[in-house]
Amino acid sequence: MAQPADTFDLATLQLSSGEARSLTLPVRLDELAFGGQTYSPGDAADARLDVSRTMSGYALRLRFEARLTGPCMRCLEDASDEVEVDAREIEQPGDDDDELRSPYVEESALDLHAWARDALALALPTQIFCRPDCLGLCAVCGENMNADPEHAHEREPDPRWAKLSELKLD
Ligand SMILES: [Zn+2]
Ligand SMILES: [Zn+2]
């Protein structure tokens, strides 16, 4: 994989209006803070960038996959999850409509790093577990329940049952 560049100059594609180009570019990825934990997507990913030249600007699509690794949200053991990113941007210079301006395009320079970072954050799964049926930690003693699914604590006898047995004795 080539050294990721943080920006890509769209003008180097020399597209005229109506033309499009697809290319594969390495993008640098950042660690993400999520649910009080830190998750790593690896240092970089090969991204596919689709560039379409419009009358006065660009329509862009960025796609890549990353494997997030970090602590399981239930038991804190190692966990990982595959994340698929598919993001689109429109850059129409001279348009007052914010929808048609991309925060990642300045003149013809595309800020690939910032776009990939934000798009990955938006594509995050809501939960990351070591396995789908992770049992988590015991609420009483903190032991990992996956290692001992039968794990249980003696319960205090319910005082109501004590009352009942007294009644029976009468
Ligand atoms: Zn777990
Ligand atoms: Zn316990």
Side-chain angles (χ1 to χ4, degrees):
M1 208 188 306
Q3 187 66 29
D6 283 354
T7 58
F8 176 76
D9 187 1
L10 298 165
T12 58
L13 297 175
Q14 297 189 305
L15 299 175
S16 44
S17 176
E19 283 187 327
R21 181 80 58 82
S22 258
L23 52 163
T24 304
L25 291 170
V27 290
R28 192 163 62 86
L29 301 176
D30 294 338
E31 285 191 334
L32 292 153
F34 181 39
Q37 307 288 348
T38 303
Y39 293 87
S40 168
D43 292 336
D46 271 329
R48 177 167 168 185
L49 177 67
D50 298 324
V51 183
S52 300
R53 189 85 165 101
T54 58
M55 286 292 274
S56 59
Y58 294 96
L60 305 164
R61 186 178 186 188
L62 183 69
R63 280 173 283 183
F64 64 91
E65 287 177 10
R67 177 159 280 280
L68 277 185
T69 55
C72 170
M73 288 179 177
R74 283 194 186 135
C75 74
L76 304 178
E77 294 291 322
D78 291 342
S80 68
D81 203 352
E82 200 76 45
V83 184
E84 263 185 54
V85 176
D86 186 348
R88 292 166 191 269
E89 284 289 321
I90 299 280
E91 168 65 5
Q92 204 75 334
D95 207 299
D96 290 335
D97 188 346
D98 278 349
E99 292 279 296
L100 299 175
R101 297 306 306 270
S102 169
Y104 309 114
V105 182
E106 193 70 52
E107 302 284 332
S108 67
L110 170 65
D111 190 340
L112 261 185
H113 175 236
W115 189 12
R117 178 197 61 211
D118 294 350
L120 180 62
L122 288 173
L124 279 187
T126 52
Q127 292 172 320
I128 297 171
F129 298 141
C130 60
R131 59 185 214 206
D133 60 346
C134 172
L135 297 171
L137 302 177
C138 170
V140 178
C141 70
E143 185 175 320
N144 189 331
M145 300 286 284
N146 297 314
D148 181 11
E150 304 298 311
H151 180 94
H153 293 266
E154 286 293 322
R155 286 221 174 169
E156 292 289 315
D158 191 319
R160 285 171 299 180
W161 288 109
K163 281 261 161 54
L164 264 182
S165 50
E166 274 169 32
L167 287 175
K168 270 185 196 160
L169 284 173
D170 284 343

